[in-house]
Amino acid sequence: MKKSRVRSDKLTIGMITATDVISITGTTIVPKGTALDDYSIGKISRAGVTAVIIETEDDGEIIKRQFTSLAEVKKSTEFKKFKENFEVSKTEVKKTLDKVVRTDKEIDFDKIIAEVDVVMSNACTGMEIFEMLNCMKDEMDDVYKHSLNVSLMSAVIAKWARMPKSEIEEVMAAAILHDIGKLKIPYEVLNTSKPSSEDKKFLRKHAIYGYNILKDKVGESIAQVALSHHERYDGTGYPMAQRGLEIPKLARLVAIADIFDELTGKRENNRIKACPFDVIRLFERDGFQKFDTEYLLAFLSGISDTYVGYNVRLSNGKVGTIVFANKTRPSRPMVKVENRYIDLGKESELQIVQLL
């Protein structure tokens, strides 16, 4: 029997639970091995459980395969195909960005969107996109990989925020191009591990460089993403210290994907990549002052479901499994350690330090 994760709104009568279905309070709603019926599906829905691990012998209405660790994902045929398509698309993204910087030729947006679609075609859900990208975080990032990562993540956040297809495609293209100004920054400045104050000023110019590269080649809404993706709602961003709705709509969304990928990625300047839950905690602490609330809530709600079923290491050294997402505080889900259920929302001294 395979174990598969199914969204609660996709559960059907006859599916068999592969694990206990646990409520946010730690109560078993439906025990392992239960054949679901209308009553048990209703209980799961009313308890606010977003996904259930079930047994299956075929694909049926399964949304995604369930993994418990990044190591399992990396061994899967799904990931191998995803990575293969990602590398091909990254090569094409590099060609596109380099050509945009060097020439005055028009940008083929259909080609850009097609490259992102190819990668997304092997992942059924947004949760899978983040899952697959997590498995590539030990590999060195560069402008091209980061640009493709941010485009994929931005598309997922846009879908979670229920944006129309036309805007999703626009944000995908804008995200691919958002850091194109970095190609004007010398390599030694872009990758220094100890940037000087002058280096930092130079690095910040990439937003203006990007806008100047794009302003006569693309629509203003896409060029504005290159200019404004480092702006923050409270006015602490750059290069213009825009506030709130002064920041263009697409830039407000791309900013969230950009910072998540930036902090969880590996760079040549030897900066240690952060655990995803460290970044989620950062968003919880500062995000509602610095980012668009609508897009941030969509991101936090979606990302909280992504890691249900995964093994994690806690700050006390214990290893457990995330069994329930915490929608109000996504960085603090419920974790099962041995036979004990730990609600991190109530155990303030504990936190997740590593995704295994």
Side-chain angles (χ1 to χ4, degrees), residues 151-169:
S151 183
L152 290 164
M153 292 179 183
S154 295
V156 172
I157 296 170
K159 288 181 179 180
W160 285 342
R162 301 185 183 279
M163 290 176 69
K165 183 179 179 182
S166 60
E167 288 191 351
I168 293 174
E169 291 184 345

Side-chain angles (χ1 to χ4, degrees), residues 219-232:
E220 183 67 9
S221 62
I222 290 179
Q224 284 286 342
V225 172
L227 180 65
S228 299
H229 64 279
H230 283 290
E231 300 287 0
R232 298 294 179 258

Side-chain angles (χ1 to χ4, degrees), residues 34-63:
T34 299
L36 296 178
D37 55 19
D38 284 334
Y39 177 72
S40 55
I41 292 174
K43 284 179 67 178
I44 292 168
S45 177
R46 288 190 296 275
V49 176
T50 55
V52 175
I53 312 305
I54 62 97
E55 295 182 355
T56 182
E57 293 180 343
D58 52 51
D59 292 335
E61 295 190 39
I62 299 310
I63 299 302

